[in-house]
Amino acid sequence: MVTRSVCFLLLTVTLLMAYRTKNGRTYHDPSRYPWPNDKQEQQRQVMLHEQCLISNDGQLVCCPQERYQRVLDIGTGTGIWAMEFADKHPGATVIGVDLSPIQPQWVPLNCNFEIDNVELEWTWSGDFDFIHGRMLGGCFEDPASIFNKSFEKLKRGSYLEVADVLLIPKCDDGTLRPDSQLLRWAGLLAKAADKMGRPINPASRYEQMLAKAGFEDIKVIEAKWPSNRWAKDQKLRVLGYLNSKTLQEELEAISMALLTRGLGWGSFEVNVLCAYVRRELMNPNIHVYFPFITAYGKKP
Ligand SMILES: C[S@@+](CC[C@H](N)C(=O)[O-])C[C@H]1O[C@@H](n2cnc3c(N)ncnc32)[C@H](O)[C@@H]1O
Ligand SMILES: *[C@@H]1O[C@H](CO)[C@@H](O)[C@H](O)[C@H]1NC(C)=O
């Protein structure tokens, strides 16, 4: 028993030395949105954008809409999606809205960024004919009310499309043990986020939420994002490689924000858990993937 705890302690110390957390991350307001907004996070968002494109075979949009005039991108972040969409559709006007002023100054002429909180009343005059929101888990107290506002602000026959990765590790071949730290971590994160009032995995309910808001022709697409390069399939291998990078970038930052504030953990405990989670995430013999959900619906 004693040797076991000594081994455990030694392993913990070794892991902590190998993966010391980077301090000094900056957040917009970690009590309401657990991801940072600094340069490192902006780079992660740009990498995630590439992941989304690869996952969608190069498409910025999955829904069957053909013409676009006035487009809204909710929680635009670095604005990379909004800018690429504006470049691709010169006849459309794109508005990207975010809490954080982290968008570049030099942007396509048909793309505008606004700083605003979309949980408050929407003050845009006029309707949109496409609304897009990506990677918004953990942003909203009540994602359903954002869907309702989108429904109100959309023209008839136009779409709302939302996409999010679920921070829920899945495994189809039993290589992820039920007592893994990874599963424990994911459960704790979700619990902390719920406690703080902003669920991080709303995408598992997107279909019902779209239906309840009144959308029709709803479709949900579920892709797999492997945890690292374990997959044999070429596309999944590339996605896994990128995903391992973006997961490493966010692991400590979101765990720190959620577990210290939501569950009252100390930063040392968080670092220890992250060290174990990182090891499981990077282990190519553990075949974990995270579902990447895209859901859209049309306003009748
Ligand atoms: C993970 S980023 C996603 C960025 C972008 N959609 C993408 O896919 O590249 C989520 C963004 O939502 C923003 N956000 C969070 N809560 C918000 C709110 N209530 N109103 C507007 N933006 C919000 C955050 O500031 C952050 O930039
Ligand atoms: C959204 O709209 C639907 C249909 O009008 C309504 O039943 C539901 O309560 C609304 N939800 C919120 C959060 O406003």
Side-chain angles (χ1 to χ4, degrees):
M1 202 55 211
V2 173
T3 31
R4 231 188 109 184
S5 24
V6 169
C7 281
F8 189 78
L9 187 70
L10 277 178
L11 184 58
T12 303
V13 169
T14 318
L15 283 172
L16 278 180
M17 305 229 302
Y19 303 114
R20 209 168 308 155
T21 9
K22 298 171 201 85
N23 292 314
R25 301 297 307 259
T26 60
Y27 298 78
H28 176 82
D29 174 0
S31 66
R32 50 170 309 161
Y33 178 64
W35 277 267
N37 67 352
D38 49 19
K39 272 275 169 308
Q40 203 180 330
E41 166 63 10
Q42 291 170 37
Q43 281 164 7
R44 185 188 74 92
Q45 285 184 22
V46 170
M47 263 207 287
L48 262 184
H49 175 70
E50 295 305 323
Q51 260 171 256
C52 294
L53 284 183
I54 292 170
S55 194
N56 293 340
D57 298 319
Q59 300 300 309
L60 288 168
V61 165
C62 294
C63 77
Q65 186 157 324
E66 277 165 8
R67 296 193 315 136
Y68 301 92
Q69 284 183 319
R70 196 153 177 264
V71 173
L72 178 67
D73 185 31
I74 304 171
T76 196
T78 65
I80 189 164
W81 181 93
M83 289 187 288
E84 286 190 13
F85 188 91
D87 274 335
K88 205 167 167 188
H89 301 273
T93 310
V94 184
I95 296 177
V97 60
D98 204 285
L99 280 176
S100 277
I102 56 169
Q103 301 75 34
Q105 260 180 315
W106 300 98
V107 302
L109 286 174
N110 57 331
C111 180
N112 299 297
F113 292 120
E114 295 178 13
I115 301 308
D116 212 335
N117 178 353
V118 298
E119 287 189 303
L120 305 178
E121 195 192 331
W122 289 16
T123 52
W124 292 289
S125 59
D127 287 345
F128 294 100
D129 61 7
F130 183 54
I131 299 182
H132 174 261
R134 194 177 66 182
M135 301 298 168
L136 300 179
C139 288
F140 308 128
E141 272 184 358
D142 186 8
S145 73
I146 305 292
F147 283 29
N148 280 10
K149 285 182 191 165
S150 303
F151 188 84
E152 266 168 45
K153 271 284 168 201
L154 275 170
K155 292 179 192 153
R156 289 164 164 275
S158 48
Y159 283 82
L160 167 66
E161 181 166 318
V162 279
D164 240 295
V165 61
L166 290 177
L167 281 177
I168 300 178
K170 304 256 180 181
C171 176
D172 298 335
D173 64 4
T175 52
L176 180 68
R177 293 175 42 166
D179 64 349
S180 71
Q181 293 299 312
L182 190 54
L183 283 170
R184 178 168 167 252
W185 167 78
L188 288 165
L189 235 53
K191 190 170 150 198
D194 286 350
K195 249 188 147 163
M196 289 170 67
R198 288 193 163 78
I200 46 168
N201 294 315
S204 51
R205 291 177 287 120
Y206 276 171
E207 187 167 12
Q208 298 90 298
M209 283 164 40
L210 283 170
K212 186 134 194 236
F215 289 97
E216 283 183 352
D217 298 338
I218 296 166
K219 194 170 167 204
V220 177
I221 303 160
E222 187 171 331
K224 291 181 182 181
W225 283 6
S227 51
N228 60 54
R229 300 186 59 163
W230 59 262
K232 289 208 174 68
D233 174 85
Q234 179 67 27
K235 180 172 157 182
L236 288 182
R237 230 176 134 73
V238 172
L239 277 172
Y241 174 72
L242 288 172
N243 203 29
S244 70
K245 301 286 171 206
T246 46
L247 282 165
Q248 285 196 58
E249 279 297 325
E250 70 184 331
L251 177 62
E252 272 98 7
I254 51 165
S255 305
M256 203 56 86
L258 285 169
L259 299 180
T260 59
R261 284 182 181 74
L263 301 181
W265 281 34
S267 57
F268 182 76
E269 287 173 276
V270 177
N271 282 337
V272 171
L273 177 63
C274 285
Y276 282 102
V277 169
R278 191 182 287 267
R279 243 167 63 111
E280 289 180 3
L281 276 177
M282 300 310 139
N283 184 342
N285 299 318
I286 301 179
H287 300 164
V288 161
Y289 63 88
F290 296 86
F292 175 59
I293 311 281
T294 304
Y296 58 76
K298 184 169 83 177
K299 177 166 172 173

